[in-house]
Amino acid sequence: MVEDERMQVIMGLIMHGGNAKSQAFQAIQLTKIGDFDGAKAAIAQADQSIKAAHDTQTDMLTKEAQGEHAKVDLYMVHAQDHVMNGITFRDLAVEMIAIYQKITDK
């Protein structure tokens, strides 16, 4: 992989991971004001961001399996951290939405 292409992949992972985290945070904020439909829409957006990151990771894994080894450096580790944070924050947001809904249903 050419260095420019590799950096584009890394920046894409950072962007998608960051977007997922922001969208999940937005879902929590909407939940706090009782906008559950808006919260679910924000989670759907987070899911799209996570899918985009996952598609990139799948492409990298496929290339790795075909013998095209990815350079793993601090940039790549940082990018993967952003993706994992986005996934974790999304999962937490889904649980918080369920808790808020349960509390307000009473």
Side-chain angles (χ1 to χ4, degrees), residues 54-88:
H54 184 264
D55 288 347
T56 299
Q57 290 173 323
T58 299
D59 182 56
M60 291 171 63
L61 288 167
T62 299
K63 288 178 180 177
E64 186 76 27
Q66 294 170 344
E68 186 179 328
H69 302 294
K71 178 181 175 185
V72 178
D73 57 8
L74 190 55
Y75 294 119
M76 185 61 73
V77 171
H78 182 68
Q80 296 296 340
D81 282 347
H82 275 275
V83 173
M84 290 306 302
N85 283 333
I87 292 167
T88 301

PDB file of all heavy atoms in Angstrom, residues 54-88:
ATOM      1  N   HIS A  54     -15.795  -0.762   9.634  1.00  0.00           N
ATOM      2  CA  HIS A  54     -15.662  -2.218   9.572  1.00  0.00           C
ATOM      3  C   HIS A  54     -15.360  -2.678   8.153  1.00  0.00           C
ATOM      4  O   HIS A  54     -14.552  -3.599   7.939  1.00  0.00           O
ATOM      5  CB  HIS A  54     -16.937  -2.885  10.095  1.00  0.00           C
ATOM      6  CG  HIS A  54     -16.847  -4.370  10.151  1.00  0.00           C
ATOM      7  ND1 HIS A  54     -17.326  -5.179   9.144  1.00  0.00           N
ATOM      8  CD2 HIS A  54     -16.313  -5.198  11.080  1.00  0.00           C
ATOM      9  CE1 HIS A  54     -17.096  -6.443   9.454  1.00  0.00           C
ATOM     10  NE2 HIS A  54     -16.476  -6.477  10.620  1.00  0.00           N
ATOM     11  N   ASP A  55     -15.988  -2.046   7.171  1.00  0.00           N
ATOM     12  CA  ASP A  55     -15.718  -2.391   5.768  1.00  0.00           C
ATOM     13  C   ASP A  55     -14.247  -2.139   5.433  1.00  0.00           C
ATOM     14  O   ASP A  55     -13.621  -2.934   4.728  1.00  0.00           O
ATOM     15  CB  ASP A  55     -16.626  -1.598   4.831  1.00  0.00           C
ATOM     16  CG  ASP A  55     -18.077  -2.054   4.874  1.00  0.00           C
ATOM     17  OD1 ASP A  55     -18.361  -3.145   5.439  1.00  0.00           O
ATOM     18  OD2 ASP A  55     -18.929  -1.309   4.352  1.00  0.00           O
ATOM     19  N   THR A  56     -13.704  -1.046   5.942  1.00  0.00           N
ATOM     20  CA  THR A  56     -12.285  -0.738   5.734  1.00  0.00           C
ATOM     21  C   THR A  56     -11.414  -1.797   6.391  1.00  0.00           C
ATOM     22  O   THR A  56     -10.440  -2.284   5.797  1.00  0.00           O
ATOM     23  CB  THR A  56     -11.947   0.655   6.286  1.00  0.00           C
ATOM     24  OG1 THR A  56     -12.724   1.632   5.593  1.00  0.00           O
ATOM     25  CG2 THR A  56     -10.474   0.972   6.131  1.00  0.00           C
ATOM     26  N   GLN A  57     -11.770  -2.168   7.616  1.00  0.00           N
ATOM     27  CA  GLN A  57     -11.007  -3.198   8.317  1.00  0.00           C
ATOM     28  C   GLN A  57     -11.078  -4.533   7.573  1.00  0.00           C
ATOM     29  O   GLN A  57     -10.069  -5.236   7.458  1.00  0.00           O
ATOM     30  CB  GLN A  57     -11.526  -3.374   9.745  1.00  0.00           C
ATOM     31  CG  GLN A  57     -11.220  -2.210  10.654  1.00  0.00           C
ATOM     32  CD  GLN A  57     -11.890  -2.347  11.999  1.00  0.00           C
ATOM     33  OE1 GLN A  57     -13.016  -2.828  12.110  1.00  0.00           O
ATOM     34  NE2 GLN A  57     -11.200  -1.921  13.042  1.00  0.00           N
ATOM     35  N   THR A  58     -12.240  -4.878   7.059  1.00  0.00           N
ATOM     36  CA  THR A  58     -12.409  -6.127   6.317  1.00  0.00           C
ATOM     37  C   THR A  58     -11.533  -6.120   5.064  1.00  0.00           C
ATOM     38  O   THR A  58     -10.889  -7.126   4.737  1.00  0.00           O
ATOM     39  CB  THR A  58     -13.887  -6.339   5.947  1.00  0.00           C
ATOM     40  OG1 THR A  58     -14.652  -6.416   7.157  1.00  0.00           O
ATOM     41  CG2 THR A  58     -14.082  -7.619   5.141  1.00  0.00           C
ATOM     42  N   ASP A  59     -11.492  -4.989   4.395  1.00  0.00           N
ATOM     43  CA  ASP A  59     -10.646  -4.866   3.212  1.00  0.00           C
ATOM     44  C   ASP A  59      -9.171  -5.055   3.596  1.00  0.00           C
ATOM     45  O   ASP A  59      -8.424  -5.755   2.893  1.00  0.00           O
ATOM     46  CB  ASP A  59     -10.851  -3.502   2.552  1.00  0.00           C
ATOM     47  CG  ASP A  59     -10.042  -3.345   1.285  1.00  0.00           C
ATOM     48  OD1 ASP A  59     -10.183  -4.190   0.376  1.00  0.00           O
ATOM     49  OD2 ASP A  59      -9.259  -2.376   1.203  1.00  0.00           O
ATOM     50  N   MET A  60      -8.774  -4.475   4.710  1.00  0.00           N
ATOM     51  CA  MET A  60      -7.390  -4.622   5.176  1.00  0.00           C
ATOM     52  C   MET A  60      -7.083  -6.079   5.518  1.00  0.00           C
ATOM     53  O   MET A  60      -6.004  -6.591   5.191  1.00  0.00           O
ATOM     54  CB  MET A  60      -7.144  -3.731   6.388  1.00  0.00           C
ATOM     55  CG  MET A  60      -7.144  -2.250   6.072  1.00  0.00           C
ATOM     56  SD  MET A  60      -7.102  -1.226   7.562  1.00  0.00           S
ATOM     57  CE  MET A  60      -5.531  -1.716   8.243  1.00  0.00           C
ATOM     58  N   LEU A  61      -8.026  -6.744   6.163  1.00  0.00           N
ATOM     59  CA  LEU A  61      -7.833  -8.151   6.516  1.00  0.00           C
ATOM     60  C   LEU A  61      -7.752  -9.033   5.275  1.00  0.00           C
ATOM     61  O   LEU A  61      -6.950  -9.972   5.216  1.00  0.00           O
ATOM     62  CB  LEU A  61      -8.964  -8.628   7.430  1.00  0.00           C
ATOM     63  CG  LEU A  61      -8.933  -8.095   8.857  1.00  0.00           C
ATOM     64  CD1 LEU A  61     -10.254  -8.377   9.561  1.00  0.00           C
ATOM     65  CD2 LEU A  61      -7.764  -8.690   9.622  1.00  0.00           C
ATOM     66  N   THR A  62      -8.566  -8.737   4.282  1.00  0.00           N
ATOM     67  CA  THR A  62      -8.542  -9.497   3.036  1.00  0.00           C
ATOM     68  C   THR A  62      -7.183  -9.342   2.360  1.00  0.00           C
ATOM     69  O   THR A  62      -6.582 -10.328   1.913  1.00  0.00           O
ATOM     70  CB  THR A  62      -9.663  -9.025   2.094  1.00  0.00           C
ATOM     71  OG1 THR A  62     -10.926  -9.242   2.743  1.00  0.00           O
ATOM     72  CG2 THR A  62      -9.633  -9.760   0.769  1.00  0.00           C
ATOM     73  N   LYS A  63      -6.696  -8.113   2.297  1.00  0.00           N
ATOM     74  CA  LYS A  63      -5.386  -7.864   1.689  1.00  0.00           C
ATOM     75  C   LYS A  63      -4.284  -8.560   2.484  1.00  0.00           C
ATOM     76  O   LYS A  63      -3.344  -9.108   1.895  1.00  0.00           O
ATOM     77  CB  LYS A  63      -5.123  -6.367   1.594  1.00  0.00           C
ATOM     78  CG  LYS A  63      -5.961  -5.690   0.525  1.00  0.00           C
ATOM     79  CD  LYS A  63      -5.720  -4.202   0.494  1.00  0.00           C
ATOM     80  CE  LYS A  63      -6.575  -3.550  -0.587  1.00  0.00           C
ATOM     81  NZ  LYS A  63      -6.436  -2.091  -0.602  1.00  0.00           N
ATOM     82  N   GLU A  64      -4.401  -8.552   3.792  1.00  0.00           N
ATOM     83  CA  GLU A  64      -3.415  -9.232   4.639  1.00  0.00           C
ATOM     84  C   GLU A  64      -3.394 -10.726   4.329  1.00  0.00           C
ATOM     85  O   GLU A  64      -2.332 -11.339   4.191  1.00  0.00           O
ATOM     86  CB  GLU A  64      -3.742  -8.994   6.120  1.00  0.00           C
ATOM     87  CG  GLU A  64      -2.715  -9.522   7.086  1.00  0.00           C
ATOM     88  CD  GLU A  64      -1.453  -8.686   7.183  1.00  0.00           C
ATOM     89  OE1 GLU A  64      -1.494  -7.466   6.923  1.00  0.00           O
ATOM     90  OE2 GLU A  64      -0.409  -9.262   7.539  1.00  0.00           O
ATOM     91  N   ALA A  65      -4.580 -11.320   4.181  1.00  0.00           N
ATOM     92  CA  ALA A  65      -4.685 -12.745   3.877  1.00  0.00           C
ATOM     93  C   ALA A  65      -4.111 -13.067   2.494  1.00  0.00           C
ATOM     94  O   ALA A  65      -3.639 -14.177   2.258  1.00  0.00           O
ATOM     95  CB  ALA A  65      -6.139 -13.200   3.957  1.00  0.00           C
ATOM     96  N   GLN A  66      -4.137 -12.082   1.626  1.00  0.00           N
ATOM     97  CA  GLN A  66      -3.602 -12.271   0.274  1.00  0.00           C
ATOM     98  C   GLN A  66      -2.109 -11.951   0.195  1.00  0.00           C
ATOM     99  O   GLN A  66      -1.532 -11.958  -0.877  1.00  0.00           O
ATOM    100  CB  GLN A  66      -4.370 -11.391  -0.717  1.00  0.00           C
ATOM    101  CG  GLN A  66      -5.816 -11.795  -0.871  1.00  0.00           C
ATOM    102  CD  GLN A  66      -6.642 -10.786  -1.659  1.00  0.00           C
ATOM    103  OE1 GLN A  66      -6.245  -9.635  -1.854  1.00  0.00           O
ATOM    104  NE2 GLN A  66      -7.818 -11.213  -2.098  1.00  0.00           N
ATOM    105  N   GLY A  67      -1.500 -11.648   1.348  1.00  0.00           N
ATOM    106  CA  GLY A  67      -0.066 -11.402   1.379  1.00  0.00           C
ATOM    107  C   GLY A  67       0.350  -9.956   1.325  1.00  0.00           C
ATOM    108  O   GLY A  67       1.536  -9.645   1.355  1.00  0.00           O
ATOM    109  N   GLU A  68      -0.620  -9.030   1.247  1.00  0.00           N
ATOM    110  CA  GLU A  68      -0.301  -7.605   1.241  1.00  0.00           C
ATOM    111  C   GLU A  68      -0.355  -7.109   2.686  1.00  0.00           C
ATOM    112  O   GLU A  68      -1.421  -6.760   3.206  1.00  0.00           O
ATOM    113  CB  GLU A  68      -1.302  -6.833   0.369  1.00  0.00           C
ATOM    114  CG  GLU A  68      -0.953  -5.377   0.201  1.00  0.00           C
ATOM    115  CD  GLU A  68      -1.942  -4.637  -0.683  1.00  0.00           C
ATOM    116  OE1 GLU A  68      -2.496  -5.249  -1.618  1.00  0.00           O
ATOM    117  OE2 GLU A  68      -2.156  -3.438  -0.430  1.00  0.00           O
ATOM    118  N   HIS A  69       0.773  -7.113   3.337  1.00  0.00           N
ATOM    119  CA  HIS A  69       0.835  -6.814   4.763  1.00  0.00           C
ATOM    120  C   HIS A  69       0.692  -5.320   5.044  1.00  0.00           C
ATOM    121  O   HIS A  69       1.327  -4.495   4.390  1.00  0.00           O
ATOM    122  CB  HIS A  69       2.133  -7.353   5.364  1.00  0.00           C
ATOM    123  CG  HIS A  69       2.294  -8.830   5.168  1.00  0.00           C
ATOM    124  ND1 HIS A  69       1.461  -9.749   5.758  1.00  0.00           N
ATOM    125  CD2 HIS A  69       3.154  -9.547   4.409  1.00  0.00           C
ATOM    126  CE1 HIS A  69       1.811 -10.968   5.391  1.00  0.00           C
ATOM    127  NE2 HIS A  69       2.840 -10.871   4.566  1.00  0.00           N
ATOM    128  N   ALA A  70      -0.135  -5.010   6.026  1.00  0.00           N
ATOM    129  CA  ALA A  70      -0.345  -3.629   6.434  1.00  0.00           C
ATOM    130  C   ALA A  70       0.732  -3.229   7.429  1.00  0.00           C
ATOM    131  O   ALA A  70       1.104  -4.000   8.305  1.00  0.00           O
ATOM    132  CB  ALA A  70      -1.720  -3.481   7.085  1.00  0.00           C
ATOM    133  N   LYS A  71       1.232  -2.020   7.261  1.00  0.00           N
ATOM    134  CA  LYS A  71       2.208  -1.478   8.198  1.00  0.00           C
ATOM    135  C   LYS A  71       1.466  -1.083   9.477  1.00  0.00           C
ATOM    136  O   LYS A  71       0.517  -0.305   9.438  1.00  0.00           O
ATOM    137  CB  LYS A  71       2.907  -0.264   7.582  1.00  0.00           C
ATOM    138  CG  LYS A  71       3.916   0.401   8.488  1.00  0.00           C
ATOM    139  CD  LYS A  71       4.532   1.609   7.777  1.00  0.00           C
ATOM    140  CE  LYS A  71       5.448   2.367   8.701  1.00  0.00           C
ATOM    141  NZ  LYS A  71       5.946   3.601   8.053  1.00  0.00           N
ATOM    142  N   VAL A  72       1.875  -1.662  10.581  1.00  0.00           N
ATOM    143  CA  VAL A  72       1.243  -1.339  11.855  1.00  0.00           C
ATOM    144  C   VAL A  72       2.193  -0.414  12.624  1.00  0.00           C
ATOM    145  O   VAL A  72       3.284  -0.813  13.013  1.00  0.00           O
ATOM    146  CB  VAL A  72       0.944  -2.608  12.684  1.00  0.00           C
ATOM    147  CG1 VAL A  72       0.320  -2.231  14.022  1.00  0.00           C
ATOM    148  CG2 VAL A  72       0.028  -3.536  11.907  1.00  0.00           C
ATOM    149  N   ASP A  73       1.746   0.824  12.781  1.00  0.00           N
ATOM    150  CA  ASP A  73       2.527   1.808  13.514  1.00  0.00           C
ATOM    151  C   ASP A  73       1.591   2.578  14.436  1.00  0.00           C
ATOM    152  O   ASP A  73       0.406   2.222  14.574  1.00  0.00           O
ATOM    153  CB  ASP A  73       3.268   2.740  12.559  1.00  0.00           C
ATOM    154  CG  ASP A  73       2.347   3.476  11.584  1.00  0.00           C
ATOM    155  OD1 ASP A  73       1.105   3.395  11.741  1.00  0.00           O
ATOM    156  OD2 ASP A  73       2.857   4.130  10.667  1.00  0.00           O
ATOM    157  N   LEU A  74       2.094   3.601  15.063  1.00  0.00           N
ATOM    158  CA  LEU A  74       1.281   4.358  16.008  1.00  0.00           C
ATOM    159  C   LEU A  74       0.051   4.973  15.340  1.00  0.00           C
ATOM    160  O   LEU A  74      -1.020   5.042  15.941  1.00  0.00           O
ATOM    161  CB  LEU A  74       2.125   5.444  16.685  1.00  0.00           C
ATOM    162  CG  LEU A  74       1.486   6.168  17.858  1.00  0.00           C
ATOM    163  CD1 LEU A  74       1.014   5.186  18.928  1.00  0.00           C
ATOM    164  CD2 LEU A  74       2.466   7.172  18.452  1.00  0.00           C
ATOM    165  N   TYR A  75       0.184   5.380  14.085  1.00  0.00           N
ATOM    166  CA  TYR A  75      -0.967   5.929  13.367  1.00  0.00           C
ATOM    167  C   TYR A  75      -2.089   4.900  13.260  1.00  0.00           C
ATOM    168  O   TYR A  75      -3.259   5.197  13.515  1.00  0.00           O
ATOM    169  CB  TYR A  75      -0.578   6.384  11.953  1.00  0.00           C
ATOM    170  CG  TYR A  75       0.369   7.554  11.908  1.00  0.00           C
ATOM    171  CD1 TYR A  75       1.615   7.423  11.322  1.00  0.00           C
ATOM    172  CD2 TYR A  75       0.011   8.799  12.427  1.00  0.00           C
ATOM    173  CE1 TYR A  75       2.490   8.494  11.253  1.00  0.00           C
ATOM    174  CE2 TYR A  75       0.880   9.878  12.373  1.00  0.00           C
ATOM    175  CZ  TYR A  75       2.124   9.713  11.781  1.00  0.00           C
ATOM    176  OH  TYR A  75       2.975  10.776  11.725  1.00  0.00           O
ATOM    177  N   MET A  76      -1.734   3.687  12.871  1.00  0.00           N
ATOM    178  CA  MET A  76      -2.731   2.630  12.705  1.00  0.00           C
ATOM    179  C   MET A  76      -3.344   2.255  14.052  1.00  0.00           C
ATOM    180  O   MET A  76      -4.559   2.056  14.154  1.00  0.00           O
ATOM    181  CB  MET A  76      -2.113   1.400  12.035  1.00  0.00           C
ATOM    182  CG  MET A  76      -3.134   0.308  11.731  1.00  0.00           C
ATOM    183  SD  MET A  76      -4.451   0.814  10.596  1.00  0.00           S
ATOM    184  CE  MET A  76      -3.549   0.862   9.053  1.00  0.00           C
ATOM    185  N   VAL A  77      -2.520   2.161  15.077  1.00  0.00           N
ATOM    186  CA  VAL A  77      -3.028   1.843  16.415  1.00  0.00           C
ATOM    187  C   VAL A  77      -4.000   2.926  16.868  1.00  0.00           C
ATOM    188  O   VAL A  77      -5.085   2.633  17.390  1.00  0.00           O
ATOM    189  CB  VAL A  77      -1.862   1.667  17.415  1.00  0.00           C
ATOM    190  CG1 VAL A  77      -2.382   1.559  18.843  1.00  0.00           C
ATOM    191  CG2 VAL A  77      -1.023   0.455  17.050  1.00  0.00           C
ATOM    192  N   HIS A  78      -3.639   4.166  16.641  1.00  0.00           N
ATOM    193  CA  HIS A  78      -4.500   5.290  17.022  1.00  0.00           C
ATOM    194  C   HIS A  78      -5.835   5.218  16.270  1.00  0.00           C
ATOM    195  O   HIS A  78      -6.906   5.420  16.861  1.00  0.00           O
ATOM    196  CB  HIS A  78      -3.776   6.606  16.713  1.00  0.00           C
ATOM    197  CG  HIS A  78      -4.533   7.831  17.090  1.00  0.00           C
ATOM    198  ND1 HIS A  78      -4.785   8.177  18.396  1.00  0.00           N
ATOM    199  CD2 HIS A  78      -5.101   8.790  16.325  1.00  0.00           C
ATOM    200  CE1 HIS A  78      -5.473   9.313  18.419  1.00  0.00           C
ATOM    201  NE2 HIS A  78      -5.685   9.696  17.176  1.00  0.00           N
ATOM    202  N   ALA A  79      -5.784   4.909  14.995  1.00  0.00           N
ATOM    203  CA  ALA A  79      -7.008   4.799  14.193  1.00  0.00           C
ATOM    204  C   ALA A  79      -7.903   3.687  14.714  1.00  0.00           C
ATOM    205  O   ALA A  79      -9.127   3.863  14.850  1.00  0.00           O
ATOM    206  CB  ALA A  79      -6.651   4.560  12.723  1.00  0.00           C
ATOM    207  N   GLN A  80      -7.305   2.537  15.020  1.00  0.00           N
ATOM    208  CA  GLN A  80      -8.090   1.416  15.539  1.00  0.00           C
ATOM    209  C   GLN A  80      -8.685   1.755  16.903  1.00  0.00           C
ATOM    210  O   GLN A  80      -9.804   1.329  17.224  1.00  0.00           O
ATOM    211  CB  GLN A  80      -7.234   0.149  15.599  1.00  0.00           C
ATOM    212  CG  GLN A  80      -6.759  -0.341  14.243  1.00  0.00           C
ATOM    213  CD  GLN A  80      -7.889  -0.766  13.316  1.00  0.00           C
ATOM    214  OE1 GLN A  80      -9.003  -1.056  13.724  1.00  0.00           O
ATOM    215  NE2 GLN A  80      -7.598  -0.802  12.033  1.00  0.00           N
ATOM    216  N   ASP A  81      -7.969   2.527  17.711  1.00  0.00           N
ATOM    217  CA  ASP A  81      -8.512   2.976  18.999  1.00  0.00           C
ATOM    218  C   ASP A  81      -9.781   3.798  18.799  1.00  0.00           C
ATOM    219  O   ASP A  81     -10.753   3.651  19.534  1.00  0.00           O
ATOM    220  CB  ASP A  81      -7.487   3.816  19.769  1.00  0.00           C
ATOM    221  CG  ASP A  81      -6.419   2.992  20.444  1.00  0.00           C
ATOM    222  OD1 ASP A  81      -6.583   1.757  20.540  1.00  0.00           O
ATOM    223  OD2 ASP A  81      -5.416   3.591  20.881  1.00  0.00           O
ATOM    224  N   HIS A  82      -9.761   4.680  17.803  1.00  0.00           N
ATOM    225  CA  HIS A  82     -10.947   5.502  17.523  1.00  0.00           C
ATOM    226  C   HIS A  82     -12.136   4.628  17.135  1.00  0.00           C
ATOM    227  O   HIS A  82     -13.267   4.877  17.571  1.00  0.00           O
ATOM    228  CB  HIS A  82     -10.659   6.522  16.419  1.00  0.00           C
ATOM    229  CG  HIS A  82     -10.038   7.781  16.923  1.00  0.00           C
ATOM    230  ND1 HIS A  82     -10.775   8.831  17.414  1.00  0.00           N
ATOM    231  CD2 HIS A  82      -8.748   8.140  17.036  1.00  0.00           C
ATOM    232  CE1 HIS A  82      -9.963   9.801  17.794  1.00  0.00           C
ATOM    233  NE2 HIS A  82      -8.717   9.399  17.573  1.00  0.00           N
ATOM    234  N   VAL A  83     -11.878   3.628  16.326  1.00  0.00           N
ATOM    235  CA  VAL A  83     -12.961   2.725  15.911  1.00  0.00           C
ATOM    236  C   VAL A  83     -13.525   2.000  17.130  1.00  0.00           C
ATOM    237  O   VAL A  83     -14.745   1.947  17.325  1.00  0.00           O
ATOM    238  CB  VAL A  83     -12.480   1.729  14.837  1.00  0.00           C
ATOM    239  CG1 VAL A  83     -13.558   0.694  14.530  1.00  0.00           C
ATOM    240  CG2 VAL A  83     -12.078   2.473  13.559  1.00  0.00           C
ATOM    241  N   MET A  84     -12.655   1.443  17.947  1.00  0.00           N
ATOM    242  CA  MET A  84     -13.118   0.703  19.129  1.00  0.00           C
ATOM    243  C   MET A  84     -13.856   1.616  20.109  1.00  0.00           C
ATOM    244  O   MET A  84     -14.852   1.207  20.709  1.00  0.00           O
ATOM    245  CB  MET A  84     -11.949   0.010  19.825  1.00  0.00           C
ATOM    246  CG  MET A  84     -11.384  -1.154  19.023  1.00  0.00           C
ATOM    247  SD  MET A  84     -12.626  -2.388  18.532  1.00  0.00           S
ATOM    248  CE  MET A  84     -13.269  -2.878  20.099  1.00  0.00           C
ATOM    249  N   ASN A  85     -13.380   2.844  20.267  1.00  0.00           N
ATOM    250  CA  ASN A  85     -14.094   3.785  21.142  1.00  0.00           C
ATOM    251  C   ASN A  85     -15.479   4.092  20.592  1.00  0.00           C
ATOM    252  O   ASN A  85     -16.449   4.197  21.357  1.00  0.00           O
ATOM    253  CB  ASN A  85     -13.290   5.077  21.309  1.00  0.00           C
ATOM    254  CG  ASN A  85     -12.146   4.924  22.271  1.00  0.00           C
ATOM    255  OD1 ASN A  85     -12.191   4.101  23.178  1.00  0.00           O
ATOM    256  ND2 ASN A  85     -11.113   5.717  22.084  1.00  0.00           N
ATOM    257  N   GLY A  86     -15.586   4.245  19.285  1.00  0.00           N
ATOM    258  CA  GLY A  86     -16.892   4.488  18.669  1.00  0.00           C
ATOM    259  C   GLY A  86     -17.849   3.337  18.898  1.00  0.00           C
ATOM    260  O   GLY A  86     -19.025   3.533  19.233  1.00  0.00           O
ATOM    261  N   ILE A  87     -17.346   2.113  18.749  1.00  0.00           N
ATOM    262  CA  ILE A  87     -18.178   0.924  18.958  1.00  0.00           C
ATOM    263  C   ILE A  87     -18.608   0.832  20.423  1.00  0.00           C
ATOM    264  O   ILE A  87     -19.790   0.597  20.725  1.00  0.00           O
ATOM    265  CB  ILE A  87     -17.423  -0.348  18.525  1.00  0.00           C
ATOM    266  CG1 ILE A  87     -17.232  -0.360  17.007  1.00  0.00           C
ATOM    267  CG2 ILE A  87     -18.160  -1.606  18.987  1.00  0.00           C
ATOM    268  CD1 ILE A  87     -16.243  -1.409  16.513  1.00  0.00           C
ATOM    269  N   THR A  88     -17.669   1.025  21.321  1.00  0.00           N
ATOM    270  CA  THR A  88     -17.969   0.934  22.750  1.00  0.00           C
ATOM    271  C   THR A  88     -18.978   2.001  23.174  1.00  0.00           C
ATOM    272  O   THR A  88     -19.925   1.721  23.908  1.00  0.00           O
ATOM    273  CB  THR A  88     -16.673   1.064  23.575  1.00  0.00           C
ATOM    274  OG1 THR A  88     -15.778   0.024  23.183  1.00  0.00           O
ATOM    275  CG2 THR A  88     -16.940   0.978  25.061  1.00  0.00           C
TER     276      THR A  88
END
